[in-house]
PDB file of all heavy atoms in Angstrom:
ATOM      1  N   GLN A 117     106.905  93.332 124.199  1.00 90.00           N
ATOM      2  CA  GLN A 117     106.535  94.159 125.241  1.00 90.00           C
ATOM      3  C   GLN A 117     105.312  93.631 126.032  1.00 90.00           C
ATOM      4  O   GLN A 117     105.249  93.629 127.248  1.00 90.00           O
ATOM      5  CB  GLN A 117     106.189  95.545 124.838  1.00 90.00           C
ATOM      6  CG  GLN A 117     107.380  96.279 124.152  1.00 90.00           C
ATOM      7  CD  GLN A 117     108.601  96.356 124.999  1.00 90.00           C
ATOM      8  OE1 GLN A 117     108.420  96.738 126.223  1.00 90.00           O
ATOM      9  NE2 GLN A 117     109.795  96.222 124.569  1.00 90.00           N
ATOM     10  N   MET A 118     104.335  93.131 125.336  1.00 91.00           N
ATOM     11  CA  MET A 118     103.045  92.705 125.952  1.00 91.00           C
ATOM     12  C   MET A 118     103.015  91.195 126.110  1.00 91.00           C
ATOM     13  O   MET A 118     102.108  90.683 126.858  1.00 91.00           O
ATOM     14  CB  MET A 118     101.856  93.223 125.057  1.00 91.00           C
ATOM     15  CG  MET A 118     101.809  94.621 124.802  1.00 91.00           C
ATOM     16  SD  MET A 118     100.373  95.209 123.822  1.00 91.00           S
ATOM     17  CE  MET A 118      98.968  94.537 124.812  1.00 91.00           C
ATOM     18  N   GLY A 119     103.945  90.482 125.737  1.00 88.00           N
ATOM     19  CA  GLY A 119     104.085  88.948 125.921  1.00 88.00           C
ATOM     20  C   GLY A 119     102.862  88.191 125.420  1.00 88.00           C
ATOM     21  O   GLY A 119     102.450  87.234 126.034  1.00 88.00           O
ATOM     22  N   MET A 120     102.347  88.548 124.238  1.00 89.00           N
ATOM     23  CA  MET A 120     101.244  87.846 123.740  1.00 89.00           C
ATOM     24  C   MET A 120     101.594  86.580 122.956  1.00 89.00           C
ATOM     25  O   MET A 120     100.716  85.929 122.432  1.00 89.00           O
ATOM     26  CB  MET A 120     100.381  88.796 122.823  1.00 89.00           C
ATOM     27  CG  MET A 120      99.799  90.023 123.563  1.00 89.00           C
ATOM     28  SD  MET A 120      98.730  91.078 122.500  1.00 89.00           S
ATOM     29  CE  MET A 120      97.430  90.029 121.989  1.00 89.00           C
ATOM     30  N   GLY A 121     102.869  86.364 122.677  1.00 87.00           N
ATOM     31  CA  GLY A 121     103.302  85.135 122.043  1.00 87.00           C
ATOM     32  C   GLY A 121     102.844  85.017 120.740  1.00 87.00           C
ATOM     33  O   GLY A 121     102.721  85.929 119.911  1.00 87.00           O
ATOM     34  N   PRO A 122     102.502  83.733 120.260  1.00 88.00           N
ATOM     35  CA  PRO A 122     102.050  83.490 118.822  1.00 88.00           C
ATOM     36  C   PRO A 122     100.822  84.206 118.437  1.00 88.00           C
ATOM     37  O   PRO A 122     100.634  84.661 117.316  1.00 88.00           O
ATOM     38  CB  PRO A 122     101.799  81.934 118.933  1.00 88.00           C
ATOM     39  CG  PRO A 122     102.660  81.386 119.955  1.00 88.00           C
ATOM     40  CD  PRO A 122     102.683  82.422 121.005  1.00 88.00           C
ATOM     41  N   GLN A 123      99.960  84.515 119.387  1.00 91.00           N
ATOM     42  CA  GLN A 123      98.767  85.294 119.069  1.00 91.00           C
ATOM     43  C   GLN A 123      99.135  86.653 118.674  1.00 91.00           C
ATOM     44  O   GLN A 123      98.594  87.284 117.702  1.00 91.00           O
ATOM     45  CB  GLN A 123      97.758  85.327 120.257  1.00 91.00           C
ATOM     46  CG  GLN A 123      96.458  85.963 119.898  1.00 91.00           C
ATOM     47  CD  GLN A 123      95.562  86.031 121.098  1.00 91.00           C
ATOM     48  OE1 GLN A 123      95.923  86.209 122.206  1.00 91.00           O
ATOM     49  NE2 GLN A 123      94.262  85.777 120.861  1.00 91.00           N
ATOM     50  N   GLY A 124      99.982  87.259 119.420  1.00 93.00           N
ATOM     51  CA  GLY A 124     100.532  88.650 119.084  1.00 93.00           C
ATOM     52  C   GLY A 124     101.238  88.637 117.713  1.00 93.00           C
ATOM     53  O   GLY A 124     101.011  89.674 116.961  1.00 93.00           O
ATOM     54  N   ALA A 125     102.042  87.619 117.402  1.00 92.00           N
ATOM     55  CA  ALA A 125     102.668  87.525 116.057  1.00 92.00           C
ATOM     56  C   ALA A 125     101.620  87.446 115.014  1.00 92.00           C
ATOM     57  O   ALA A 125     101.741  88.109 113.872  1.00 92.00           O
ATOM     58  CB  ALA A 125     103.586  86.359 116.071  1.00 92.00           C
ATOM     59  N   GLY A 126     100.603  86.650 115.338  1.00 93.00           N
ATOM     60  CA  GLY A 126      99.524  86.552 114.294  1.00 93.00           C
ATOM     61  C   GLY A 126      98.729  87.872 114.049  1.00 93.00           C
ATOM     62  O   GLY A 126      98.420  88.224 112.913  1.00 93.00           O
ATOM     63  N   ILE A 127      98.519  88.573 115.118  1.00 95.00           N
ATOM     64  CA  ILE A 127      97.761  89.850 115.041  1.00 95.00           C
ATOM     65  C   ILE A 127      98.673  90.850 114.210  1.00 95.00           C
ATOM     66  O   ILE A 127      98.198  91.573 113.350  1.00 95.00           O
ATOM     67  CB  ILE A 127      97.513  90.369 116.433  1.00 95.00           C
ATOM     68  CG1 ILE A 127      96.398  89.638 117.060  1.00 95.00           C
ATOM     69  CG2 ILE A 127      97.017  91.873 116.374  1.00 95.00           C
ATOM     70  CD1 ILE A 127      96.170  90.010 118.542  1.00 95.00           C
ATOM     71  N   ALA A 128     100.033  90.860 114.576  1.00 95.00           N
ATOM     72  CA  ALA A 128     100.870  91.838 113.853  1.00 95.00           C
ATOM     73  C   ALA A 128     100.900  91.610 112.345  1.00 95.00           C
ATOM     74  O   ALA A 128     100.804  92.446 111.530  1.00 95.00           O
ATOM     75  CB  ALA A 128     102.305  91.619 114.463  1.00 95.00           C
TER      76      ALA A 128
END
Side-chain angles (χ1 to χ4, degrees):
Q117 301 298 322
M118 300 179 63
M120 295 181 66
Q123 185 180 41
I127 292 173

